[in-house]
């Protein structure tokens, strides 16, 4: 935690202190797994403000912090630090929250927006974080091979999704990264088609996009499988998506622009005649939150660096027919992409 706080101050000229209020940043900078509280950090003092319901948990999870009970009032906490300019999470705090904090400041103290500065250290994952993300992704792989045994005509998307979720939670996940997507047949044309009561039928493609939170970090993966008798267009679309996915993934190296990687996948899909059927970005980063920066999108000029985690997830979606998406999660390490997803990408026909 100390090194994370040092990185924050080393790259934030003009700030004397930070007031941190969102769950991901409280967890990142302190280890405290709750957003019923705030952090107030200066170089010298690390203060976690919470209430009596959480003091035991706070002492345990944030041993580097002084724990202060909110009952003693925010005013006395601010009066106790010698920070002048206090950075706060302007994308997170409400207007009334802002007014409340402002009213508690001591003489000579002021608030300054600092969301980008506070989030910045989280873009580059350290070894421990990469390990946790890899473990979460591994659990996703295991859940996927577990449900392959049950997918057959006659069961519903919800049944498959629940089995994935049950497996991940039974094996240590504290939550899901997001609502599980299980989209079969024509529903596959919706990139974010949440699992429904639809029965999986012979001839359907089934897209499963899911993830879990393990040790505070998210996983994310997508596989599309076929059920029963498959037609030529389904095979063709699968192969185009697979080619776009593997070539974009193989092109990820430190130093390249995010938009260049997106373009590789997008051009392959366009050249195959499906340009109109791939509307979303190629990928995003993953960490404490499921969607983090940078993004593999046409608009993202960020340069890929060691410590970035990225999803690579092209798709083709055809209204009234169906869709295919394939997604792996990679870590950039020693300049190149290390794939953290190990599930088979060959066309699986069940
Ligand atoms: Mn994703």
């Amino acid at each position: 935690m100390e090194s994370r706080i040092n990185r924050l101050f080393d790259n934030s000229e003009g700030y004397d202190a930070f007031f941190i209020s969102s769950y991901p940043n409280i967890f990142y900078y302190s280890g405290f797994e709750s957003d019923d509280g705030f952090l107030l950090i200066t170089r010298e003092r690390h203060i976690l403000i919470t209430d009596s319901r959480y003091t035991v948990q706070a002492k345990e999870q944030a041993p580097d912090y002084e724990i202060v009970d909110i009952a003693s009032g925010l005013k006395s906490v601010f009066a106790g630090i010698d920070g002048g300019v206090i950075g706060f999470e302007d994308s997170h705090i409400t207007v009334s929250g802002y007014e409340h904090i402002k009213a508690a400041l001591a003489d000579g103290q002021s608030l300054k927006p600092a969301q980008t500065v506070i989030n910045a250290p989280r873009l580059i994952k350290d070894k421990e974080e990469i390990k946790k993300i890899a473990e979460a992704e591994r659990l996703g792989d295991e859940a996927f091979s577990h449900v392959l045994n049950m997918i057959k005509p006659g069961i519903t998307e919800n049944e498959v999704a629940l089995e994935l979720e049950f497996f991940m939670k039974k094996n240590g996940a504290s939550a899901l990264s997001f609502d599980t997507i299980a989209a079969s047949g024509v529903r596959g044309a919706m990139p974010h088609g949440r699992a429904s009561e639809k029965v999986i039928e012979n001839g359907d493609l089934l897209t499963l996009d899911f993830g879990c939170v393990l040790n505070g970090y998210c996983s994310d993966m997508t596989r599309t499988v076929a059920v029963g008798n498959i037609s030529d267009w389904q095979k063709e679309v699968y192969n185009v998506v697979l080619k776009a996915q593997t070539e974009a993934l193989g092109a990820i190296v430190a130093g390249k622009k995010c938009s260049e990687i997106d373009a590789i996948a997008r051009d392959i899909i366009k050249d195959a005649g499906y340009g109109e059927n791939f509307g979303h970005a190629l990928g995003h980063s993953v960490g404490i939150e499921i969607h983090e920066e940078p993004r593999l999108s046409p608009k993202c000029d960020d340069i890929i660096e060691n410590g970035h985690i990225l999803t690579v997830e092209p798709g083709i979606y055809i209204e009234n027919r169906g869709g295919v998406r394939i997604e792996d999660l990679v870590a950039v390490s020693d300049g190149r992409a290390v794939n953290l997803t190990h599930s088979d990408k060959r066309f699986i026909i069940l």
Side-chain angles (χ1 to χ4, degrees):
M1 300 302 156
E2 199 59 39
S3 69
R4 292 175 183 179
I5 294 168
N6 286 338
R7 274 211 283 159
L8 172 62
F9 278 100
D10 290 347
N11 295 293
S12 60
E13 219 182 302
Y15 293 94
D16 303 303
F18 291 96
F19 185 81
I20 291 172
S21 53
S22 73
Y23 171 78
N25 285 322
I26 289 174
F27 177 60
Y28 182 75
Y29 287 108
S30 73
F32 183 48
E33 288 179 65
S34 171
D35 57 3
D36 274 314
F38 309 101
L39 306 181
L40 184 60
I41 317 176
T42 66
R43 275 210 189 257
E44 293 76 31
R45 292 187 64 192
H46 312 334
I47 304 164
L48 195 166
I49 307 140
T50 185
D51 64 72
S52 59
R53 292 172 302 166
Y54 293 97
T55 38
V56 173
Q57 181 188 337
K59 275 183 208 159
E60 207 175 279
Q61 295 179 331
D64 303 343
Y65 276 72
E66 304 168 40
I67 314 297
V68 172
D69 194 323
I70 189 90
S72 61
L74 270 183
K75 261 194 174 150
S76 64
V77 187
F78 280 113
I81 62 157
D82 32 274
V85 178
I86 301 165
F88 72 100
E89 294 194 72
D90 48 293
S91 299
H92 174 257
I93 224 141
T94 60
V95 175
S96 61
Y98 175 84
E99 294 299 340
H100 185 68
I101 298 156
K102 208 174 145 197
L105 297 180
D107 284 345
Q109 291 179 338
S110 62
L111 291 171
K112 185 177 169 184
Q115 193 70 63
T116 315
V117 172
I118 292 168
N119 285 5
R122 284 174 46 207
L123 270 69
I124 305 295
K125 273 71 180 172
D126 58 38
K127 288 220 159 66
E128 196 188 317
E129 291 183 289
I130 294 174
K131 197 170 156 247
K132 286 179 179 169
I133 294 164
E135 283 165 1
E137 192 70 357
R138 168 83 57 186
L139 184 50
D141 276 328
E142 287 167 10
F144 177 67
S145 43
H146 172 72
V147 298
L148 281 182
N149 301 318
M150 69 176 288
I151 298 169
K152 56 173 186 281
I155 69 161
T156 66
E157 293 169 352
N158 273 340
E159 285 174 296
V160 179
L162 278 170
E163 191 61 31
L164 276 172
E165 295 169 5
F166 183 79
F167 184 94
M168 294 188 291
K169 286 205 172 173
K170 195 178 174 189
N171 288 284
S174 59
L176 303 173
S177 301
F178 52 88
D179 289 341
T180 300
I181 292 166
S184 63
V186 292
R187 293 192 76 251
M190 298 187 284
H192 274 189
R194 277 190 215 149
S196 76
E197 279 299 302
K198 181 189 169 297
V199 172
I200 296 166
E201 292 163 82
N202 182 24
D204 277 356
L205 292 174
L206 168 66
T207 299
L208 298 171
D209 184 351
F210 59 95
C212 65
V213 182
L214 184 66
N215 298 315
Y217 284 79
C218 293
S219 74
D220 192 3
M221 64 180 283
T222 306
R223 286 295 183 267
T224 301
V225 299
V227 182
N229 299 311
I230 291 311
S231 42
D232 288 345
W233 75 266
Q234 291 169 317
K235 262 183 236 163
E236 184 196 311
V237 165
Y238 192 92
N239 287 332
V240 174
V241 173
L242 181 60
K243 183 164 188 253
Q245 205 269 351
T246 46
E247 299 216 358
L249 199 158
I252 295 176
V253 287
K256 272 201 189 153
K257 236 189 226 179
C258 287
S259 55
E260 282 179 65
I261 307 301
D262 179 275
I264 292 168
R266 207 163 295 281
D267 287 348
I268 290 169
I269 290 174
K270 206 187 286 170
D271 290 348
Y274 296 101
E276 299 292 303
N277 306 92
F278 175 33
H280 58 75
L282 178 65
H284 55 91
S285 192
V286 170
I288 298 168
E289 292 177 282
I290 184 61
H291 293 119
E292 298 194 354
E293 304 299 329
R295 314 264 165 168
L296 292 180
S297 84
K299 285 185 249 163
C300 183
D301 289 330
D302 290 5
I303 303 294
I304 294 170
E305 289 179 57
N306 284 328
H308 278 163
I309 298 279
L310 295 163
T311 71
V312 183
E313 49 178 312
I316 291 178
Y317 313 96
I318 307 172
E319 210 174 334
N320 299 320
R321 294 187 95 176
V324 171
R325 180 168 62 257
I326 303 168
E327 173 183 30
D328 286 341
L329 189 63
V330 306
V332 184
S333 179
D334 293 328
R336 29 179 296 278
V338 178
N339 200 340
L340 305 179
T341 317
H342 301 289
S343 295
D344 205 345
K345 283 191 282 196
R346 284 172 301 179
F347 198 29
I348 299 174
I349 302 173
L350 300 165

